[in-house]
Amino acid sequence: MTATSMFDRLDADRPLKVVVAGAGAMGTAWARAVGANPRFELSAIVDADERRAKALAIRLRAPGLPVTASVADLAGVSVDICINATPPTEHFGVIDAALEADLAVLSEKPFTGNLKEAGLLAGKARALGKLLMVSQSRRYQPGLERFRAGVRRLGGLYSLHTSFSRLYPGTGFRARLAQPLLTDMAVHAFDAARYVTGAAPVEVYCDTVRRSGSGYEGPAEASAVFEMSDGLRFHYSGSWCAPGLPTPWGGRWRAVGTEGSVEWDGAGRVHGGGPDGEHADNDVETVDDATFDRDPVRQVARPLEEFGEALTTGSSPWGEASDNLRTVAMVEAAVISAQRRMPVRIDELLAEAWAT
């Protein structure tokens, strides 16, 4: 670990050796992204079902790749990095085991099941000098990055709005989550709000609804208003049980500031308008959001590259664990607010997490 880095750096003169934990759809995307990036080398696959791990190795045309049922079983396999692509309920155990094995960790969102667990892992990673990063893949969507550039031109921000609405069947692990929309989907929007505005979350009031027949055990519809630093209000509206007229996966966004407004339709079009209510044709930008939406390998390629850059240079990436705690705290505060039907202070939750 250098004097300026919170974690051990790795040698940039050789490929970084990776184990992918989780051989499902996202594990497959991560494994393919690793194989396409010369900075990395896929060294092993871990899955509780070793037959599934072996099947993935065969699909990757690497039938001799070591496969194990857990990260703890990797003795004798040279590995630098664990990519955690397991279901959210497994995140704490997999990340903890990887840190114990002296590995840097890049994890799929959400970080863990709750803020306390996330705080424990962030503290452990820091104590061990290991980089722990949470991949918020939609932070890298082309339209969101252009929207952020437009927001930067609005002067002082008044409000940020996003809406997400789709009919998404409640199946698999998501169907069993206590708060499926907030923890597995809204977390993207909450993290994006931090990225777009640079503001810190202060307080939230949230209301959730469980729709009968949705297939979800928990509520899959939510509305939340966050107070952010500098008085900014962030309004979130989302649903996984809304038939007809779906939004893009990135949602639709609008920001309002002292110098006008900017909108992103989530599907490739970003445009802004000045305080007089007009906007010129050259204020409209078109980006390729469609390819990003339908290509899971592209979605994870950028966070993977940023992770590798951080490991070899010592720079702190977006999603570094101690910073991602703020995103986790937004989710947990929203969940608590919905349960108690009252506002929840986010800084108090963060203080408790770090004290743990």
Side-chain angles (χ1 to χ4, degrees):
M1 197 180 336
T2 68
T4 58
S5 175
M6 296 185 298
F7 50 84
D8 296 327
R9 292 169 59 177
L10 296 180
D11 188 355
D13 295 331
R14 63 169 179 82
L16 305 178
K17 298 180 180 296
V18 177
V19 55
V20 171
M26 288 312 302
T28 300
W30 281 106
R32 294 192 185 283
V34 167
N37 191 322
R39 188 194 288 267
F40 302 94
E41 177 183 306
L42 185 61
S43 297
I45 299 172
V46 165
D47 196 281
D49 183 347
E50 290 190 48
R51 292 175 300 176
R52 186 162 69 162
K54 190 67 176 178
L56 175 55
I58 292 171
R59 290 201 304 274
L60 296 172
R61 299 183 180 179
L65 202 66
V67 300
T68 67
S70 72
V71 174
D73 297 333
L74 285 171
V77 181
S78 178
V79 179
D80 303 304
I81 296 165
C82 175
I83 294 178
N84 172 35
T86 61
T89 52
E90 307 300 319
H91 281 196
F92 181 85
V94 171
I95 295 171
D96 187 61
L99 292 173
E100 288 286 347
D102 202 34
L103 303 179
V105 182
L106 174 57
S107 179
E108 265 290 326
K109 60 79 199 164
F111 192 164
T112 63
N114 59 66
L115 186 58
K116 179 181 177 180
E117 290 182 348
L120 286 169
L121 292 175
K124 185 169 191 171
R126 183 171 291 187
L128 294 174
K130 293 299 173 185
L131 174 58
L132 170 55
M133 171 182 161
V134 180
S135 170
Q136 300 282 169
S137 58
R138 290 201 167 270
R139 169 334 222 159
Y140 302 89
Q141 187 159 355
L144 184 69
E145 294 189 314
R146 296 311 306 154
F147 178 68
R148 180 177 184 253
V151 169
R152 289 290 188 267
R153 299 192 291 267
L154 295 182
L157 282 181
Y158 296 148
S159 62
L160 179 69
H161 306 255
T162 185
S163 61
F164 172 82
S165 177
R166 297 185 76 92
L167 185 61
Y168 189 71
T171 59
F173 72 86
R174 294 179 180 88
R176 299 184 295 275
L177 294 175
Q179 288 283 351
L181 182 78
L182 288 176
T183 56
D184 196 65
M185 193 65 211
V187 61
H188 282 299
F190 295 175
D191 191 75
R194 293 183 54 227
Y195 171 68
V196 165
T197 66
V202 176
E203 186 176 271
V204 63
Y205 180 80
C206 181
D207 180 51
T208 59
V209 179
R210 184 186 180 278
R211 300 295 183 189
S212 60
S214 68
Y216 294 96
E217 293 181 12
E221 186 173 307
S223 297
V225 179
F226 288 87
E227 177 189 348
M228 309 289 281
S229 53
D230 299 327
L232 168 69
R233 293 299 190 270
F234 167 47
H235 302 255
Y236 172 82
S237 174
S239 176
W240 257 345
C241 45
L245 300 177
T247 66
W249 279 103
R252 296 191 179 99
W253 292 74
R254 186 172 192 263
V256 182
T258 57
E259 300 302 317
S261 299
V262 61
E263 292 183 342
W264 170 43
D265 67 0
R269 186 173 184 269
V270 181
H271 72 283
D276 58 0
E278 300 295 330
H279 72 272
D281 289 342
N282 60 8
D283 288 328
V284 179
E285 296 183 76
T286 302
V287 294
D288 186 12
D289 283 325
T291 300
F292 182 93
D293 269 348
R294 63 174 176 260
D295 187 352
V297 176
R298 181 176 175 183
Q299 291 168 20
V300 301
R302 286 275 303 280
L304 176 65
E305 178 63 25
E306 190 167 320
F307 186 68
E309 183 70 12
L311 278 173
T312 55
T313 65
S315 60
S316 184
W318 183 265
E320 186 275 323
S322 58
D323 181 69
N324 192 256
L325 286 181
R326 295 185 182 277
T327 297
V328 179
M330 291 176 76
V331 174
E332 185 147 319
V335 169
I336 295 172
S337 175
Q339 292 170 340
R340 298 178 181 174
R341 295 188 175 275
M342 60 184 294
V344 174
R345 296 285 297 184
I346 293 169
D347 55 353
E348 294 174 3
L349 296 184
L350 283 168
E352 291 174 9
W354 275 121
T356 302

